[in-house]
Amino acid sequence: MKFYKNIYVGDSLKTRKEKVIDKLKNGEVQFSCYLIVLCDNPVEQLECYDSILLLQKKWMPEPLLVVGIASSYVEALELIKRIAEDTYLRYGEANLRKYILETQQEF
């Protein structure tokens, strides 16, 4: 699992960001934690998973690029909206995949 350099974090997790990321890197499940990941399929853009799915290692696609973490599904949708807005401000379109990959390379 890799993490986006400029990871989007929901407001409710901002104070625990580093702790949550460290636990996820170690494969520890975080309850009430949703991961926004870049899709492996180049046609699609983002997917949202409950971190409880990390218990099913065979199911999870590898490697995951986590671009956002949130404490609820609704908060995850708000983060996806924020990513879309940032993408639109930069390119004038909603190609989230392009935005994430290009900004990841900038770091």
Side-chain angles (χ1 to χ4, degrees), residues 65-91:
L65 175 60
V66 179
V67 298
I69 54 175
S71 66
S72 69
Y73 184 72
V74 171
E75 190 173 60
L77 293 177
E78 290 171 3
L79 287 180
I80 292 170
K81 178 183 172 188
R82 191 177 338 153
I83 295 167
E85 289 170 348
D86 290 349
T87 303
Y88 186 78
L89 289 174
R90 183 169 182 154
Y91 297 115

Short mmCIF file of all heavy atoms in Angstrom, two decimals, residues 65-91:
data_model
loop_
_atom_site.label_atom_id
_atom_site.label_comp_id
_atom_site.label_asym_id
_atom_site.label_seq_id
_atom_site.Cartn_x
_atom_site.Cartn_y
_atom_site.Cartn_z
N LEU A 65 -2.85 2.74 -4.26
CA LEU A 65 -2.38 4.10 -4.01
C LEU A 65 -3.52 4.81 -3.30
O LEU A 65 -4.55 5.13 -3.90
CB LEU A 65 -2.02 4.83 -5.30
CG LEU A 65 -1.62 6.30 -5.13
CD1 LEU A 65 -0.41 6.44 -4.21
CD2 LEU A 65 -1.38 6.98 -6.45
N VAL A 66 -3.34 5.01 -2.00
CA VAL A 66 -4.37 5.65 -1.18
C VAL A 66 -4.22 7.16 -1.34
O VAL A 66 -3.17 7.72 -1.04
CB VAL A 66 -4.23 5.24 0.30
CG1 VAL A 66 -5.28 5.94 1.15
CG2 VAL A 66 -4.33 3.73 0.45
N VAL A 67 -5.28 7.81 -1.83
CA VAL A 67 -5.24 9.25 -2.04
C VAL A 67 -6.03 10.01 -0.98
O VAL A 67 -5.93 11.23 -0.89
CB VAL A 67 -5.71 9.65 -3.45
CG1 VAL A 67 -4.80 9.05 -4.50
CG2 VAL A 67 -7.13 9.25 -3.70
N GLY A 68 -6.82 9.28 -0.19
CA GLY A 68 -7.60 9.94 0.85
C GLY A 68 -8.04 8.97 1.93
O GLY A 68 -8.20 7.77 1.67
N ILE A 69 -8.21 9.49 3.13
CA ILE A 69 -8.73 8.71 4.24
C ILE A 69 -9.82 9.53 4.94
O ILE A 69 -9.68 10.74 5.11
CB ILE A 69 -7.65 8.27 5.25
CG1 ILE A 69 -6.84 9.46 5.76
CG2 ILE A 69 -6.75 7.21 4.65
CD1 ILE A 69 -5.83 9.11 6.85
N ALA A 70 -10.88 8.84 5.32
CA ALA A 70 -12.01 9.51 5.97
C ALA A 70 -12.58 8.58 7.03
O ALA A 70 -12.35 7.38 7.01
CB ALA A 70 -13.08 9.84 4.93
N SER A 71 -13.35 9.15 7.95
CA SER A 71 -13.91 8.34 9.03
C SER A 71 -15.29 7.78 8.71
O SER A 71 -15.79 6.95 9.44
CB SER A 71 -13.97 9.15 10.32
OG SER A 71 -14.89 10.20 10.17
N SER A 72 -15.90 8.22 7.64
CA SER A 72 -17.22 7.72 7.26
C SER A 72 -17.34 7.76 5.74
O SER A 72 -16.57 8.43 5.05
CB SER A 72 -18.34 8.56 7.89
OG SER A 72 -18.36 9.84 7.32
N TYR A 73 -18.34 7.06 5.25
CA TYR A 73 -18.57 7.04 3.81
C TYR A 73 -18.94 8.43 3.30
O TYR A 73 -18.46 8.86 2.26
CB TYR A 73 -19.67 6.03 3.47
CG TYR A 73 -19.89 5.87 1.99
CD1 TYR A 73 -18.97 5.22 1.19
CD2 TYR A 73 -21.04 6.38 1.39
CE1 TYR A 73 -19.17 5.08 -0.17
CE2 TYR A 73 -21.25 6.25 0.04
CZ TYR A 73 -20.31 5.59 -0.75
OH TYR A 73 -20.51 5.47 -2.09
N VAL A 74 -19.76 9.13 4.06
CA VAL A 74 -20.18 10.48 3.67
C VAL A 74 -18.96 11.41 3.61
O VAL A 74 -18.81 12.20 2.67
CB VAL A 74 -21.26 11.04 4.63
CG1 VAL A 74 -21.54 12.50 4.37
CG2 VAL A 74 -22.53 10.22 4.52
N GLU A 75 -18.08 11.30 4.60
CA GLU A 75 -16.87 12.12 4.60
C GLU A 75 -15.97 11.75 3.42
O GLU A 75 -15.35 12.62 2.82
CB GLU A 75 -16.12 11.95 5.92
CG GLU A 75 -15.00 12.95 6.10
CD GLU A 75 -14.39 12.88 7.49
OE1 GLU A 75 -13.87 11.80 7.87
OE2 GLU A 75 -14.46 13.90 8.20
N ALA A 76 -15.93 10.48 3.06
CA ALA A 76 -15.15 10.04 1.90
C ALA A 76 -15.70 10.67 0.62
O ALA A 76 -14.93 11.12 -0.24
CB ALA A 76 -15.15 8.52 1.79
N LEU A 77 -17.02 10.74 0.50
CA LEU A 77 -17.63 11.38 -0.66
C LEU A 77 -17.29 12.87 -0.71
O LEU A 77 -17.06 13.44 -1.78
CB LEU A 77 -19.14 11.18 -0.66
CG LEU A 77 -19.62 9.74 -0.87
CD1 LEU A 77 -21.14 9.68 -0.77
CD2 LEU A 77 -19.15 9.17 -2.19
N GLU A 78 -17.23 13.52 0.46
CA GLU A 78 -16.85 14.93 0.51
C GLU A 78 -15.40 15.11 0.05
O GLU A 78 -15.08 16.08 -0.65
CB GLU A 78 -17.03 15.47 1.93
CG GLU A 78 -18.48 15.59 2.35
CD GLU A 78 -18.64 15.92 3.83
OE1 GLU A 78 -17.64 16.11 4.54
OE2 GLU A 78 -19.81 15.98 4.28
N LEU A 79 -14.53 14.18 0.41
CA LEU A 79 -13.14 14.25 -0.04
C LEU A 79 -13.03 14.06 -1.55
O LEU A 79 -12.25 14.75 -2.20
CB LEU A 79 -12.28 13.20 0.68
CG LEU A 79 -11.95 13.46 2.13
CD1 LEU A 79 -11.09 12.32 2.68
CD2 LEU A 79 -11.23 14.78 2.31
N ILE A 80 -13.82 13.14 -2.08
CA ILE A 80 -13.81 12.93 -3.53
C ILE A 80 -14.29 14.20 -4.23
O ILE A 80 -13.74 14.60 -5.26
CB ILE A 80 -14.68 11.71 -3.91
CG1 ILE A 80 -14.00 10.43 -3.39
CG2 ILE A 80 -14.90 11.64 -5.42
CD1 ILE A 80 -14.85 9.19 -3.49
N LYS A 81 -15.27 14.86 -3.65
CA LYS A 81 -15.74 16.13 -4.21
C LYS A 81 -14.62 17.17 -4.18
O LYS A 81 -14.41 17.89 -5.15
CB LYS A 81 -16.95 16.63 -3.41
CG LYS A 81 -17.49 17.96 -3.87
CD LYS A 81 -18.62 18.43 -2.99
CE LYS A 81 -19.02 19.85 -3.34
NZ LYS A 81 -19.98 20.40 -2.39
N ARG A 82 -13.87 17.22 -3.09
CA ARG A 82 -12.75 18.16 -2.97
C ARG A 82 -11.67 17.85 -4.00
O ARG A 82 -11.10 18.76 -4.62
CB ARG A 82 -12.17 18.14 -1.56
CG ARG A 82 -11.20 19.27 -1.34
CD ARG A 82 -10.61 19.38 0.04
NE ARG A 82 -11.34 18.76 1.12
CZ ARG A 82 -10.76 18.32 2.22
NH1 ARG A 82 -9.46 18.44 2.39
NH2 ARG A 82 -11.48 17.77 3.19
N ILE A 83 -11.38 16.57 -4.22
CA ILE A 83 -10.40 16.17 -5.22
C ILE A 83 -10.87 16.61 -6.61
O ILE A 83 -10.10 17.14 -7.41
CB ILE A 83 -10.15 14.65 -5.18
CG1 ILE A 83 -9.51 14.24 -3.86
CG2 ILE A 83 -9.28 14.22 -6.36
CD1 ILE A 83 -9.50 12.75 -3.59
N ALA A 84 -12.16 16.42 -6.89
CA ALA A 84 -12.72 16.82 -8.18
C ALA A 84 -12.63 18.33 -8.37
O ALA A 84 -12.30 18.82 -9.47
CB ALA A 84 -14.16 16.35 -8.30
N GLU A 85 -12.90 19.09 -7.31
CA GLU A 85 -12.80 20.55 -7.40
C GLU A 85 -11.37 20.99 -7.65
O GLU A 85 -11.12 21.88 -8.49
CB GLU A 85 -13.34 21.19 -6.11
CG GLU A 85 -14.84 21.07 -5.96
CD GLU A 85 -15.34 21.50 -4.59
OE1 GLU A 85 -14.54 21.67 -3.65
OE2 GLU A 85 -16.58 21.63 -4.45
N ASP A 86 -10.41 20.38 -6.95
CA ASP A 86 -9.00 20.71 -7.16
C ASP A 86 -8.57 20.39 -8.59
O ASP A 86 -7.81 21.13 -9.21
CB ASP A 86 -8.10 19.98 -6.16
CG ASP A 86 -8.26 20.49 -4.74
OD1 ASP A 86 -8.90 21.54 -4.54
OD2 ASP A 86 -7.75 19.82 -3.81
N THR A 87 -9.05 19.26 -9.08
CA THR A 87 -8.74 18.85 -10.46
C THR A 87 -9.30 19.84 -11.46
O THR A 87 -8.62 20.26 -12.40
CB THR A 87 -9.31 17.44 -10.74
OG1 THR A 87 -8.78 16.54 -9.78
CG2 THR A 87 -8.95 16.97 -12.13
N TYR A 88 -10.54 20.25 -11.25
CA TYR A 88 -11.18 21.18 -12.17
C TYR A 88 -10.46 22.54 -12.15
O TYR A 88 -10.28 23.16 -13.20
CB TYR A 88 -12.66 21.35 -11.83
CG TYR A 88 -13.37 22.21 -12.84
CD1 TYR A 88 -13.75 21.68 -14.06
CD2 TYR A 88 -13.63 23.55 -12.58
CE1 TYR A 88 -14.37 22.46 -15.01
CE2 TYR A 88 -14.26 24.34 -13.52
CZ TYR A 88 -14.63 23.79 -14.74
OH TYR A 88 -15.24 24.58 -15.68
N LEU A 89 -10.06 22.99 -10.97
CA LEU A 89 -9.34 24.26 -10.89
C LEU A 89 -8.01 24.21 -11.64
O LEU A 89 -7.58 25.21 -12.21
CB LEU A 89 -9.10 24.64 -9.42
CG LEU A 89 -10.33 25.08 -8.64
CD1 LEU A 89 -9.98 25.29 -7.17
CD2 LEU A 89 -10.91 26.35 -9.23
N ARG A 90 -7.37 23.06 -11.64
CA ARG A 90 -6.07 22.94 -12.30
C ARG A 90 -6.19 22.74 -13.81
O ARG A 90 -5.43 23.31 -14.58
CB ARG A 90 -5.29 21.80 -11.69
CG ARG A 90 -3.90 21.66 -12.27
CD ARG A 90 -3.06 20.73 -11.48
NE ARG A 90 -1.73 20.65 -12.04
CZ ARG A 90 -0.67 20.35 -11.37
NH1 ARG A 90 -0.76 20.11 -10.08
NH2 ARG A 90 0.50 20.28 -11.95
N TYR A 91 -7.13 21.89 -14.25
CA TYR A 91 -7.21 21.51 -15.67
C TYR A 91 -8.46 21.99 -16.39
O TYR A 91 -8.53 21.89 -17.61
CB TYR A 91 -7.15 19.98 -15.81
CG TYR A 91 -5.86 19.38 -15.33
CD1 TYR A 91 -5.85 18.52 -14.24
CD2 TYR A 91 -4.66 19.64 -15.97
CE1 TYR A 91 -4.67 17.96 -13.80
CE2 TYR A 91 -3.48 19.09 -15.54
CZ TYR A 91 -3.49 18.25 -14.45
OH TYR A 91 -2.32 17.68 -14.01
#
